[in-house]
Amino acid sequence: QVQLVESGGGLVQPGGSLRLSCAASGSIFTVNTMGWYRQAPGKERELVATITTGGSTRYADSVKGRFTVSRDNAKNTVYLQMNSLKAEDTAVYYCNLYIAVTGGRYWGKGTLVTVSS
């Protein structure tokens, strides 16, 4: 099957930066969309950013201009560079892989990002 392993979460002060990574393994297929979602306490999971194999990106309005999603197709890894972090960015961040040809959607276990002084 598919496994997603996230890394890079932690505690950071407001205005700081963090970089998340997510490595995928298994039956990934050549064409897919990888990305990040987040879930804050008491809130629903929401899209943060996604990127296709071809490099097309999509961002939530709340992170545009601050976060950058990228990927290394050779390593089946997606990254999320988070700058100018705010307290409202505090959440568990989940890596996601979507394979359109099969309809399969897979999730990582999540990594906690806490923005606090």
Side-chain angles (χ1 to χ4, degrees):
Q1 293 297 335
V2 174
Q3 288 188 325
L4 302 173
V5 179
E6 302 121 330
S7 61
L11 173 64
V12 63
Q13 292 186 343
S17 299
L18 277 178
R19 189 190 194 210
L20 305 183
S21 300
C22 172
S25 60
S27 302
I28 300 168
F29 284 73
T30 302
V31 178
N32 57 64
T33 299
M34 295 186 74
W36 298 90
Y37 290 69
R38 67 186 181 187
Q39 187 167 18
K43 295 187 176 181
E44 295 185 351
R45 191 173 298 188
E46 62 177 3
L47 178 145
V48 177
T50 61
I51 183 168
T52 67
T53 310
S56 296
T57 59
R58 177 186 177 191
Y59 293 92
D61 288 341
S62 59
V63 307
K64 285 181 181 177
R66 300 188 298 122
F67 291 10
T68 302
V69 63
S70 61
R71 64 186 292 166
D72 184 333
N73 290 334
K75 296 181 179 179
N76 295 317
T77 299
V78 64
Y79 306 95
L80 184 67
Q81 178 66 44
M82 303 185 292
N83 299 327
S84 302
L85 283 160
K86 305 174 181 179
E88 51 262 44
D89 295 317
T90 295
V92 177
Y93 284 70
Y94 295 92
C95 180
N96 176 264
L97 172 70
Y98 175 66
I99 302 171
V101 69
T102 64
R105 185 176 294 279
Y106 306 92
W107 296 93
K109 293 182 178 180
T111 184
L112 177 62
V113 172
T114 303
V115 184
S116 175
S117 56

